[in-house]
Amino acid sequence: MKRVLLLARHDFGHALRDRLVWGAVILLGLMYLPSAGSIAASGHRPIAEYTLLIPYELQTYTLVVVAAVGYNSVVGERTAKTMKLIFGLPSTRRDLLLAKVLSRVVISLVATATILVIGNFLLAQGYGRPYLLPYWTIGAWMLLYVVVWTAVTVGYSAAFDSAYRTLLAIAGSFFLFSPDYSVWGSTFRPAFTFIFTGSLSTASYEVLAEMPLWYRVTERFNPLLAFWKAASWSVRVVGPGTPSGDFGETLALNLFGTLVFLGFGAVPLLFGYRRLTRRDLGDDSSSGQTRLRRYVGRVTKPARQLLRPTRWSDSRLWVLLVQDVRQLFRNRLVLGGIAVTALFVLPGISQSIDPSSAFGPREQVADISGAFSFAPLVLGALFGYRAIVGERAEKTLRVVLGNSATRRDVFVAKAVSRLTTAVLVLLPLFVFAELLVLVRFGHSYPVLFLTVVGSVTTLTLLWTTISLGFSAATSSPYRSIAGTATTFLFFLLFWGTW
């Protein structure tokens, strides 16, 4: 245990020196406290409703802090080649993982608890009293939420070979289970409905008494839904408000849901530990020089054509463009991001186009753009964040520039390849949406549909261009991502144009 505490103390100090962690904590305060303070100052909402707004707001915001704190915790040691040094000391892999979890959980808890304390002060200012029991009941659930997500993040960090894959796994898990998005409602919920009723149509139950038992049980297989139901029920138990349904049955269901939520944190952690103990940590099958030679060979293979182009396909721009597209689709992070985007968007499109809806066909076609939600931002950041700074980080930019290619050639080729790829990735999603409109409504609504396509495509190209610009201006992929995210949050928080 002493080795774990020693490693945890060292890792705690190392994490506190990370500017990304401090930036995420400050961002959490800027995103949550102004809205919480304004709602509390108005005093118009009942205290029970205000209390339930806390997890609704903080579920997403605290995830930013947790991701910043934990995504590079273990994989950072691997990429920095310090993991073998740690194992050279009298420390085991289990000691390392436990120390990482302990130190990162403490940081996440301190940051979240600080925000909650300030939020309680704002509540007391607006309502005249702090309402300690209901507020800190929901506060305790939020602290548990942070602990579970930190375990998930550290587990993914131990399981994957790069920080980018860790971030992708965190985002994918959140989008899959979050009740704010339609992935769960369009995949697992119809499957459970078919098992118990023989129909794929998912009924909407507005009143708890109308919900069959199988529905209430299966909904709690979603850990984030289980968390929300258990947290909201516990607030009504302590008051103000009264819990609905049979107390014993609801208690059993929420205990089951809590176990599911805890399991959601334990499974990635165990998976990460298993991968950590069964892999060669730090050994790379090819050296940096070998990887550099392979990359340079791919980029500069047609060197004669770069020097003396004989036809349009041998021009410098064309060669750079083709090689960049090939490199882009060899990136498993990009391929995984495209798959996650499709998994997120396709169910939303399917739900937006519903003949039984109270809205007419034109309103539903116009609402297709809402199914894309954050997809333009995700795709734009994914295609642009590493476009140029990645060449700089891999020490290949000078080699490319040394082969008769100018900086303008590199930037133009990168811009054309990334923007074209973004449009091509969106194309199958648009085709799926148009076919669904034709099948369900019997009419294509071409002008309206092209307007939707144009707005989504323009937004995607905008974020790709912004991300590409930060990639050219910054010195690391992390700063490129941070620049894109900061731009998005600036518009979201201050101008609300998203």
Side-chain angles (χ1 to χ4, degrees):
M1 191 62 186
K2 290 183 179 180
R3 294 177 300 186
V4 173
L5 293 177
L6 180 63
L7 289 172
R9 185 174 62 181
H10 172 77
D11 185 65
F12 182 81
H14 177 73
L16 288 182
R17 292 191 293 270
D18 191 345
R19 287 177 293 180
L20 181 63
V21 172
W22 285 103
V25 174
I26 294 172
L27 188 62
L28 171 63
L30 291 176
M31 289 189 296
Y32 173 70
L33 292 177
S35 62
S38 62
I39 296 174
S42 66
H44 296 314
R45 295 178 181 269
I47 186 60
E49 183 179 344
Y50 176 85
T51 306
L52 292 178
L53 283 176
I54 296 172
Y56 183 79
E57 296 275 349
L58 283 180
Q59 278 187 88
T60 305
Y61 296 156
T62 53
L63 188 59
V64 176
V65 175
V66 169
V69 168
Y71 85 102
N72 206 33
S73 56
V74 179
V75 74
E77 304 285 358
R78 185 179 297 118
T79 54
K81 309 296 183 183
T82 57
M83 191 170 287
K84 287 186 174 182
L85 178 63
I86 295 175
F87 291 152
L89 303 172
S91 301
T92 64
R93 291 171 172 83
R94 184 183 64 183
D95 294 337
L96 174 65
L97 192 61
L98 289 177
K100 293 289 184 181
V101 173
L102 180 60
S103 63
R104 306 300 165 126
V105 162
V106 169
I107 295 173
S108 300
L109 284 177
V110 170
T112 307
T114 303
I115 296 298
L116 288 171
V117 169
I118 299 174
N120 199 188
F121 173 77
L122 296 175
L123 170 67
Q125 292 292 314
Y127 284 85
R129 50 179 292 198
Y131 289 98
L132 292 176
L133 185 57
Y135 184 88
W136 284 104
T137 299
I138 207 69
W141 279 104
M142 283 310 307
L143 295 177
L144 177 63
Y145 179 86
V146 166
V147 170
V148 169
W149 267 110
T150 304
V152 171
T153 305
V154 175
Y156 284 149
S157 182
F160 295 109
D161 292 323
S162 75
Y164 305 112
R165 294 178 190 172
T166 302
L167 289 172
L168 183 63
I170 296 169
S173 299
F174 178 74
F175 284 131
L176 176 62
F177 295 115
S178 175
D180 296 331
Y181 304 99
S182 56
V183 178
W184 173 271
S186 300
T187 53
F188 293 95
R189 189 175 292 155
F192 286 128
T193 304
F194 179 78
I195 293 173
F196 289 97
T197 67
S199 172
L200 290 174
S201 177
T202 56
S204 177
Y205 300 99
E206 301 294 338
V207 182
L208 179 63
E210 298 177 356
M211 297 181 184
L213 181 60
W214 66 264
Y215 183 86
R216 284 180 282 168
V217 172
T218 55
E219 284 292 278
R220 285 169 172 80
F221 281 110
N222 182 329
L224 299 190
L225 276 176
F227 163 80
W228 169 253
K229 291 180 182 297
S232 58
W233 179 79
S234 62
V235 170
R236 294 188 181 96
V237 168
V238 299
T242 56
S244 56
D246 180 73
F247 181 84
E249 181 181 283
T250 309
L251 175 62
L253 287 172
N254 286 321
L255 287 175
F256 170 72
T258 304
L259 291 177
V260 171
F261 182 61
L262 294 175
F264 172 65
V267 170
L269 197 60
L270 293 175
F271 177 68
Y273 176 70
R274 181 180 178 87
R275 293 290 302 274
L276 192 64
T277 56
R278 295 196 174 192
R279 68 170 20 160
D280 185 12
L281 300 174
D283 284 343
D284 196 353
S285 57
S286 60
S287 65
Q289 293 181 348
T290 302
R291 295 195 301 274
L292 177 61
R293 285 196 298 269
R294 289 175 182 172
Y295 178 80
V296 172
R298 289 196 298 267
V299 173
T300 64
K301 185 176 181 180
R304 295 187 193 134
Q305 291 89 334
L306 283 171
L307 293 172
R308 285 191 292 269
T310 59
R311 57 185 187 274
W312 70 272
S313 62
D314 295 333
S315 67
R316 292 175 300 182
L317 282 175
W318 177 258
V319 172
L320 289 171
L321 189 149
V322 170
Q323 295 299 330
D324 186 62
V325 171
R326 290 177 180 175
Q327 181 193 13
L328 186 64
F329 282 98
R330 290 190 186 104
N331 190 331
R332 284 180 288 183
L333 177 65
V334 172
L335 297 177
I338 294 172
V340 171
T341 301
L343 182 65
F344 166 64
V345 171
L346 291 176
I349 294 175
S350 179
Q351 286 191 345
S352 298
I353 305 171
D354 185 6
S356 62
S357 174
F359 297 98
R362 292 184 179 276
E363 289 81 358
Q364 294 184 52
V365 173
D367 193 47
I368 290 176
S369 59
F372 285 84
S373 188
F374 288 93
L377 173 64
V378 172
L379 291 176
L382 195 65
F383 292 138
Y385 84 100
R386 198 176 170 83
I388 296 174
V389 75
E391 307 284 1
R392 189 180 296 118
E394 295 290 339
K395 310 298 183 184
T396 55
L397 186 58
R398 290 185 179 181
V399 178
V400 176
L401 295 176
N403 282 275
S404 184
T406 64
R407 288 176 172 83
R408 185 185 64 182
D409 293 336
V410 173
F411 186 83
V412 171
K414 293 284 187 180
V416 172
S417 67
R418 305 299 167 120
L419 293 172
T420 304
T421 304
V423 174
L424 293 177
V425 168
L426 289 174
L427 187 59
L429 302 177
F430 293 143
V431 171
F432 171 78
E434 178 66 0
L435 291 176
L436 205 59
V437 170
L438 281 171
V439 170
R440 293 186 175 180
F441 295 142
H443 193 277
S444 60
Y445 301 96
V447 177
L448 184 58
F449 187 78
L450 287 177
T451 303
V452 172
V453 169
S455 64
V456 174
T457 303
T458 301
L459 200 56
T460 305
L461 294 179
L462 173 65
W463 283 114
T464 305
T465 304
I466 292 173
S467 182
L468 188 68
F470 279 113
S471 180
T474 54
S475 58
S476 74
Y478 301 105
R479 292 180 182 178
S480 176
I481 294 176
T484 305
T486 302
T487 303
F488 166 73
L489 290 171
F490 174 79
F491 286 105
L492 178 67
L493 294 175
F494 296 102
W495 285 357
T497 57
W498 180 265

